[in-house]
């Protein structure tokens, strides 16, 4: 009887505890305890009723596509402080349509607006290089780093501004070899001041030879013009330029095969490859697919701004009282080389001098052996008489610059003093073009 009397009491207690548990579950589900069956059915029915909430929750999961895209936008757009200059691009376009008389401001705003885009283009290329290795990475840095110059050149060719194309491409070569390489050597030398930095001497010698070949291709049309020894005046130098351009393109294609296929081991970086690989793994912030997508987006936006920049050059020269030669040779390349500038200095400070040379000297080689001949061929297709006659002053400047850089690279070492000398040489070149009057602008031959 006593047992029978206790059983109802025990059942009543269990029922009371069960009701209390259900009430607590409705208010707040305790962590770690399995939910009773009725509440789980209720939540399941709620999700079925709402429908899209499950998809939204799944889309915001850590590995989801949308979350990855938002992270990529944050890293590329909002993480870099230089992107505070991005609004200057839309401002330049608005100012172009609102007022056609302030071409100087349109030029300056376009110039400032392209700067962060070129730097982010270099960042995206650098991220892509983390997946491709140092040799291909240096080539990618040079290629996409020169995308700005190529786009500006095509727009200028379309408008018949041949001298702007010639001078801007010449300025890119001078800027890469003197300013970019000089700043990289200087910064790397200060960070590693206890010893000289070492790079692959063999690859540097090959690039120096290609630069001298480019000077050869540019020199003969100029000499032919200024010695008045053409078989057909005004036509022979154009024909020679087109023939030489085709030869230079073949030489550059052979160089790519030599670099990437037949003599790949010659371009292996000097140093601890395992440590470099670990550092590159740590540098990966976006995926390979995202890096490729950003390259296309940034290239399109740069191409849009380049059109407004080229249209405003002449007006900016008059309103700012600056020679067109100075704008084309000094100002445009500094903006166009922002990607190479940032990448080269960063790699030099990390003691990766081979990638630095691949970016700076490789970019100069690519412009002289590919971009300039490519523009001659494109101008040929457009009906523009783009040639390799860069005039005597510009050709002599390029020849002396190549010799200076070749002597700096012959030892296979770098330090901050070599970098300082290259920077000072660039200041002399910039001052020379500030007081230089283009013969074509004055009608002289």
């Amino acid at each position: 009887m006593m047992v029978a009397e206790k059983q109802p009491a025990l059942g009543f207690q269990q029922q009371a505890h069960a009701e209390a548990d259900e009430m607590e579950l409705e208010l707040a589900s305790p962590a770690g305890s399995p939910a009773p069956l009725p509440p789980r059915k209720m939540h399941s029915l709620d999700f079925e009723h709402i429908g899209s909430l499950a998809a939204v929750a799944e889309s915001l999961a850590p590995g989801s596509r949308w979350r990855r895209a938002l992270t990529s936008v944050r890293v590329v757009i909002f993480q870099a402080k230089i992107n505070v200059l991005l609004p200057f691009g839309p401002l330049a376009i608005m100012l172009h349509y609102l007022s056609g008389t302030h071409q100087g401001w349109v030029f300056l705003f376009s110039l400032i607006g392209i700067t962060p885009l070129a730097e982010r283009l270099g960042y995206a290329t650098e991220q892509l290089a983390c997946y491709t290795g140092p040799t291909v990475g240096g080539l990618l840095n040079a290629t996409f780093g020169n995308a700005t110059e190529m786009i500006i050149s095509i727009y200028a060719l379309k408008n018949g501004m041949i001298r702007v194309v010639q001078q801007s491409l010449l300025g890119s070569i001078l800027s890469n070899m003197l300013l970019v390489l000089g700043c990289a050597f200087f910064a790397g030398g200060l960070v590693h001041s206890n010893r000289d930095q070492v790079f692959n001497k063999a690859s540097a010698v090959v690039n120096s030879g290609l630069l001298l070949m480019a000077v050869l291709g540019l020199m003969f049309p100029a000499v032919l013009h200024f010695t008045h020894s053409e078989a057909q005046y005004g036509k022979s130098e154009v024909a020679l330029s087109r023939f030489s351009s085709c030869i230079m393109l073949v030489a550059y294609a052979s160089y790519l095969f030599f670099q990437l296929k037949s003599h790949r081991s010659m371009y292996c970086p000097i140093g601890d490859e395992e440590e470099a690989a670990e550092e590159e793994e740590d540098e990966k912030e976006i995926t390979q697919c995202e890096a490729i997508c950003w390259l296309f987006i940034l290239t399109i936006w740069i191409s849009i701004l380049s059109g407004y920049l080229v249209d405003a050059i002449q007006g900016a020269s008059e309103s700012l009282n600056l020679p067109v030669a100075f704008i084309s040779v000094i100002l445009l390349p500094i903006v166009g080389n922002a990607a190479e500038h940032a990448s080269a200095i960063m790699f030099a400070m990390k003691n990766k001098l081979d990638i630095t040379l691949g970016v700076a000297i490789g970019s100069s080689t690519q412009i002289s052996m590919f971009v300039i001949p490519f523009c001659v061929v494109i101008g040929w297709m457009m009906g523009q008489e783009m040639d390799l006659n860069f005039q005597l002053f510009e050709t002599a400047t390029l020849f002396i610059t190549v010799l200076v850089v070749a002597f700096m690279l012959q030892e296979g070492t770098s330090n901050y003093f070599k970098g300082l000398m290259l920077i000072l040489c660039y200041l002399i070149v910039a001052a020379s073009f500030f007081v230089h009057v283009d013969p074509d602008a004055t009608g002289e031959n």
Side-chain angles (χ1 to χ4, degrees), residues 45-229:
L45 289 173
D46 286 342
F47 274 116
E48 290 176 1
H49 178 69
I50 296 175
S52 62
L53 287 180
V56 173
E58 184 180 356
S59 67
L60 294 178
S64 68
R65 186 186 308 170
W66 288 104
R67 187 179 183 88
R68 187 64 244 176
L70 292 176
T71 303
S72 178
V73 171
R74 177 183 61 81
V75 169
V76 177
I77 301 298
F78 297 103
Q79 185 170 316
K81 296 180 180 179
I82 195 174
N83 285 344
V84 298
L85 302 177
L86 284 176
F88 281 93
L91 283 176
I93 298 175
M94 291 174 58
L95 193 61
H96 173 80
Y97 288 105
L98 292 177
S99 175
T101 58
H102 297 84
Q103 293 298 308
W105 289 108
V106 174
F107 175 80
L108 287 177
F109 283 5
S110 300
L111 206 65
I112 296 173
I114 287 178
T115 303
L117 295 174
E119 192 277 334
R120 290 288 86 188
L121 191 70
Y123 170 79
T125 309
E126 172 200 334
Q127 289 294 308
L128 185 59
C130 293
Y131 299 92
T132 58
T135 302
V136 180
L139 180 63
L140 287 173
N141 263 292
T143 302
F144 284 96
N146 292 330
T148 308
E149 289 90 339
M150 290 188 67
I151 294 169
I152 292 175
S153 299
I154 291 174
Y155 272 102
L157 270 179
K158 187 178 179 181
N159 294 339
M161 303 169 70
I162 295 176
R163 286 298 291 160
V164 171
V165 176
Q166 293 177 334
Q167 291 173 343
S168 63
L169 293 178
L170 173 74
S172 295
I173 299 173
L174 299 177
S175 175
N176 275 304
M177 287 197 296
L178 295 177
L179 183 62
V180 174
L181 188 63
C183 289
F185 280 1
F186 185 75
L190 291 180
V191 174
H192 304 276
S193 57
N194 56 339
R195 57 186 173 85
D196 284 354
Q197 293 180 285
V198 182
F199 54 84
N200 193 328
K201 181 180 176 181
S203 61
V205 170
V206 173
N207 280 296
S208 299
L210 283 172
L211 288 171
L212 286 172
M213 180 180 176
V215 172
L216 183 76
L218 297 177
M219 183 176 291
F220 281 111
V223 172
L224 192 68
H225 174 79
F226 285 97
T227 56
H228 301 285
S229 56

Side-chain angles (χ1 to χ4, degrees), residues 18-41:
E19 291 176 357
D21 290 340
E22 288 178 2
M23 293 178 62
E24 289 178 1
L25 184 61
E26 290 176 357
L27 294 175
S29 178
S33 61
L37 186 59
R40 289 189 59 157
K41 289 182 179 179

Side-chain angles (χ1 to χ4, degrees), residues 221-241:
V223 172
L224 192 68
H225 174 79
F226 285 97
T227 56
H228 301 285
S229 56
E230 302 172 82
Q232 292 182 328
Y233 183 78
K235 294 183 179 180
S236 295
E237 62 184 90
V238 176
L240 176 61
S241 298

Side-chain angles (χ1 to χ4, degrees), residues 205-426:
V205 170
V206 173
N207 280 296
S208 299
L210 283 172
L211 288 171
L212 286 172
M213 180 180 176
V215 172
L216 183 76
L218 297 177
M219 183 176 291
F220 281 111
V223 172
L224 192 68
H225 174 79
F226 285 97
T227 56
H228 301 285
S229 56
E230 302 172 82
Q232 292 182 328
Y233 183 78
K235 294 183 179 180
S236 295
E237 62 184 90
V238 176
L240 176 61
S241 298
R242 290 169 177 173
F243 175 79
S244 300
S245 297
C246 295
I247 298 298
M248 292 163 72
L249 289 174
V250 172
Y252 185 72
S254 303
Y255 164 68
L256 291 181
F257 180 80
F258 177 84
Q259 180 186 27
L260 301 176
K261 194 71 177 176
S262 65
H263 286 68
R264 179 184 294 181
S265 59
M266 178 179 168
Y267 289 86
C268 290
I270 296 176
D272 191 353
E273 295 183 358
E274 294 181 0
E275 182 179 350
E278 291 178 0
E279 290 181 1
E280 288 179 0
E281 286 292 333
D282 295 337
E283 292 172 358
K284 294 178 181 178
E285 296 181 356
I286 58 177
T287 64
Q288 185 175 5
C289 182
E290 291 168 356
I292 295 173
C293 292
W294 279 113
L295 286 176
F296 282 105
I297 293 172
L298 293 170
T299 302
I300 291 173
W301 183 226
I302 288 174
S303 66
I304 294 173
L305 279 183
S306 297
Y308 296 96
L309 182 71
V310 170
D311 291 339
I313 286 178
Q314 190 62 43
S317 174
E318 298 172 358
S319 61
L320 299 176
N321 197 22
L322 291 175
V324 176
F326 181 80
I327 293 176
S328 302
V329 177
I330 304 301
L331 295 184
L332 290 182
I334 288 178
V335 174
N337 291 334
E340 291 97 326
H341 211 145
S343 300
I345 293 176
M346 181 194 66
F347 287 127
M349 294 175 68
K350 293 180 179 180
N351 202 24
K352 298 180 181 180
L353 261 295
D354 292 295
I355 303 181
T356 296
L357 288 179
V359 173
I361 301 300
S363 179
S364 300
T365 304
Q366 189 178 72
I367 292 174
S368 59
M369 295 296 294
F370 173 72
V371 179
I372 291 178
F374 176 77
C375 287
V376 172
V377 175
I378 290 296
W380 189 3
M381 296 178 180
M382 290 181 177
Q384 301 286 349
E385 292 189 351
M386 169 77 182
D387 56 22
L388 297 179
N389 177 17
F390 278 45
Q391 304 296 333
L392 190 60
F393 183 82
E394 287 85 346
T395 306
T397 304
L398 178 62
F399 178 65
I400 296 172
T401 299
V402 171
L403 287 182
V404 169
V405 174
F407 276 111
M408 293 289 184
L409 299 178
Q410 66 177 348
E411 294 180 353
T413 60
S414 72
N415 50 56
Y416 74 91
F417 183 65
K418 287 185 177 180
L420 180 62
M421 285 192 290
L422 291 176
I423 295 172
L424 295 179
C425 287
Y426 186 74

